[in-house]
Amino acid sequence: MKYELIVFDWDGTLLDSAGAIVRAIQAACRDLELPEPDDAQARHVIGLGLVDAMRQAVPDLKPERYQAMSERYRFHYLSGDHELTLFEGIPELLADLQAAGHLLAIATGKSRVGLDRALDHSGLRPLFHASRCADECHSKPHPQMLDELMAEFGVSAASTVMIGDTSHDLLMARNAGVDGLAVTYGAHPHDHLAEQGPLACLHTVAELESWLKSNA
């Protein structure tokens, strides 16, 4: 086993939620009469902690309005998150990895409350051994989430891989000294991910499963 610890991002990697996040950011901007980012701008910030995401998506947002923006974003996202689905094949992939003896973890830009809600709704909670969220650690691409997960299990960087759909995931992996693996079916486009030098850019869950069976 090359990778004892396999760490997954959540939104856009396991859950098909990138489009819902974009729409919630844009709706929050309309509510507050702020300049509305286009789809590409909004997609770029997926994976960051909420305040960092709002700051980048809406550069004109004043600090005193961060809370109002975050509240409107949560309102719009949570109004429809129960309708979001996992990418096809994800539950089976995770179950197979766990059965093979890998430690599975999550490193996400979601809050702890948000991730707990998503884990319970998806039914995936029993498959993960640990998780870290953006309101518990520095936001990606800071390596703290990965550093803490590796320390929790006593796993080396050489035995850890980070899987995500954004450059923030891959930069976090690089900053932590671990291998990064990109999936292109989420928030960031293939070319943007390839620039970060991942082990591979995989276009479907089936490709991800095949790669992990051969290399993990």
Side-chain angles (χ1 to χ4, degrees), residues 10-20 23 77 80-91 118 121-124 185 205:
W10 183 264
D11 288 303
T13 301
L14 302 178
L15 187 72
D16 188 3
S17 54
R23 292 189 293 274
Y77 181 79
D81 70 332
H82 60 284
E83 299 176 353
L84 299 176
T85 59
L86 298 167
F87 289 106
E88 185 175 357
I90 285 296
H121 183 261
S122 68
L124 294 185
Y185 51 75
V205 174

Side-chain angles (χ1 to χ4, degrees), residues 26-93:
Q26 293 169 335
C29 289
R30 291 194 295 273
D31 288 350
L32 299 178
E33 298 182 340
L34 294 165
E36 185 178 330
D38 62 24
D39 287 2
Q41 287 175 290
R43 278 181 171 270
H44 180 72
V45 305
I46 292 174
L48 298 175
L50 187 53
V51 171
D52 286 344
M54 297 304 124
R55 185 185 296 121
Q56 289 195 27
V58 192
D60 295 334
L61 184 64
K62 297 184 184 304
E64 59 267 25
R65 303 196 76 188
Y66 288 164
Q67 182 174 351
M69 180 70 181
S70 297
E71 288 174 353
R72 296 314 299 166
Y73 166 79
R74 288 192 181 98
F75 170 81
H76 289 290
Y77 181 79
L78 294 177
S79 67
D81 70 332
H82 60 284
E83 299 176 353
L84 299 176
T85 59
L86 298 167
F87 289 106
E88 185 175 357
I90 285 296
E92 296 82 3
L93 168 62

Side-chain angles (χ1 to χ4, degrees), residues 184 188-196 201:
T184 66
H188 287 187
H190 174 271
D191 291 349
H192 193 59
L193 294 167
E195 289 175 357
Q196 306 305 324
C201 289

Side-chain angles (χ1 to χ4, degrees), residues 31-213:
D31 288 350
L32 299 178
E33 298 182 340
L34 294 165
E36 185 178 330
D38 62 24
D39 287 2
Q41 287 175 290
R43 278 181 171 270
H44 180 72
V45 305
I46 292 174
L48 298 175
L50 187 53
V51 171
D52 286 344
M54 297 304 124
R55 185 185 296 121
Q56 289 195 27
V58 192
D60 295 334
L61 184 64
K62 297 184 184 304
E64 59 267 25
R65 303 196 76 188
Y66 288 164
Q67 182 174 351
M69 180 70 181
S70 297
E71 288 174 353
R72 296 314 299 166
Y73 166 79
R74 288 192 181 98
F75 170 81
H76 289 290
Y77 181 79
L78 294 177
S79 67
D81 70 332
H82 60 284
E83 299 176 353
L84 299 176
T85 59
L86 298 167
F87 289 106
E88 185 175 357
I90 285 296
E92 296 82 3
L93 168 62
L94 295 173
D96 287 348
L97 291 171
Q98 186 191 66
H102 297 282
L103 294 167
L104 304 182
I106 298 166
T108 177
K110 301 182 85 65
S111 67
R112 171 55 58 188
V113 170
L115 179 61
D116 284 347
R117 176 185 171 103
L119 283 170
D120 289 338
H121 183 261
S122 68
L124 294 185
R125 184 184 292 277
L127 296 175
F128 288 100
H129 300 86
S131 57
R132 290 297 186 278
C133 299
D135 58 350
E136 302 167 335
C137 299
H138 290 295
S139 179
K140 300 171 186 179
H142 194 283
Q144 184 182 3
M145 293 187 198
L146 291 176
D147 288 343
E148 289 192 2
L149 289 167
M150 289 187 288
E152 179 173 343
F153 295 111
V155 176
S156 69
S159 297
T160 302
V161 63
M162 174 69 205
I163 302 172
D165 67 310
T166 72
S167 60
H168 315 304
D169 299 311
L170 300 177
L171 285 167
M172 177 176 65
R174 184 187 303 170
N175 290 338
V178 310
D179 287 340
L181 190 60
V183 295
T184 66
Y185 51 75
H188 287 187
H190 174 271
D191 291 349
H192 193 59
L193 294 167
E195 289 175 357
Q196 306 305 324
L199 294 172
C201 289
L202 305 166
H203 306 296
T204 65
V205 174
E207 287 187 17
L208 174 61
E209 179 181 20
S210 177
W211 191 97
L212 289 171
K213 283 184 176 179

